[in-house]
Amino acid sequence: MKARELLRLAPVMPVIVVPDAGLAVDMARALVDGGLPVLEITLRTPAAFEAMRRIRDAVPGAVVGAGTVLDRAQWQRAVDSGAVFGVSPGLTPELASAARAGGLPFLPGVATASEAMRAADEGFDTLKLFPAEAVGGRALLRSLHGPLPHLQFCPTGGIHAGNAAEYLALPNVGCVGGSWITPEALVAARDWDRVRELAAQAAALRPGASAR
Ligand code: 3PG
């Protein structure tokens, strides 16, 4: 699968911080049942690798990937733990070569035209715009589409139920990412019914027709 195809699987990619691997399977099931199969498990907690293994083994409908991948060693460990795609807030030469070598979809993070051009030079044409709202949000994406129409984005950072549809209407946005579907309080309360509802609302959002 190419990164661009990954973006077509669901309009929203939950950005998940797993506090405890014991919660991962129930959380993933709620998201997949709600209609969001593409799950970004951020490597921000020690539980992330074990969480990916458990989801891979117990939630067949999930497409599990690693987020916040910062270097080659993390990417390798994520792949060994079952990640089938990767996301990073940025891009380094080391990460670019590791991601290319693995052949799995990889979304490097960019925030400017030059970073997007460098990522494209490295072979990545599907990018995470990060942190989306802070660096210009929809106005920036609209502006980048003119000179860089061959690039597709998954913006994340500051996106929520109230602004996701406006991002998805842009021609260069394939999906959006965000943590609003798995808020810390709902996860702590193990409120999987509510997580499933939030996922279903997000899954009902549709990308702009020209992004397809
Ligand atoms: C990310 O890691 O992609 C972002 O931090 C998610 O941003 P959000 O918490 O604003 O959705």
Side-chain angles (χ1 to χ4, degrees):
M1 183 171 48
K2 292 191 182 310
R4 206 157 280 204
E5 293 162 28
L6 183 77
L7 266 53
R8 294 195 184 105
L9 296 180
V12 176
M13 187 186 301
V15 175
I16 303 167
V17 178
V18 184
D20 170 354
L23 302 175
V25 167
D26 286 343
M27 191 191 311
R29 283 207 181 108
L31 293 165
V32 173
D33 288 353
L36 299 181
V38 182
L39 311 179
E40 177 188 330
I41 308 293
T42 63
L43 305 184
R44 294 178 205 173
T45 58
F49 296 105
E50 176 62 17
M52 288 191 283
R53 277 192 288 276
R54 291 191 190 197
I55 294 169
R56 173 193 62 190
D57 294 343
V59 190
V63 179
V64 67
T68 325
V69 181
L70 302 181
D71 58 34
R72 177 188 296 274
Q74 281 189 333
W75 177 229
Q76 191 53 55
R77 192 170 167 208
V79 172
D80 292 344
S81 304
V84 297
F85 70 90
V87 184
S88 178
L91 187 65
T92 65
E94 175 191 284
L95 201 45
S97 82
R100 265 197 316 269
L104 292 170
F106 194 83
L107 277 65
V110 302
T112 66
S114 288
E115 290 171 10
M117 289 162 64
R118 272 200 294 276
D121 275 354
E122 294 276 9
F124 303 96
D125 68 359
T126 306
L127 311 169
K128 163 172 163 138
L129 180 76
F130 178 78
E133 281 285 288
V135 298
R138 284 158 280 160
L140 175 59
L141 285 160
R142 266 194 296 271
S143 302
L144 291 175
H145 185 55
L148 304 171
H150 49 294
L151 299 181
Q152 277 279 302
F153 294 89
C154 173
T156 77
I159 300 182
H160 49 75
N163 61 9
E166 291 165 20
Y167 275 95
L168 288 165
L170 298 174
N172 54 349
V173 171
C175 75
V176 299
S179 60
W180 84 91
I181 309 109
T182 51
E184 206 178 320
L186 290 187
V187 173
R190 294 163 167 67
D191 190 346
W192 308 130
D193 287 341
R194 183 66 189 137
V195 169
R196 190 180 305 105
E197 280 170 21
L198 289 175
Q201 286 163 13
L205 297 165
R206 286 289 162 259
S210 53
R212 296 268 138 180

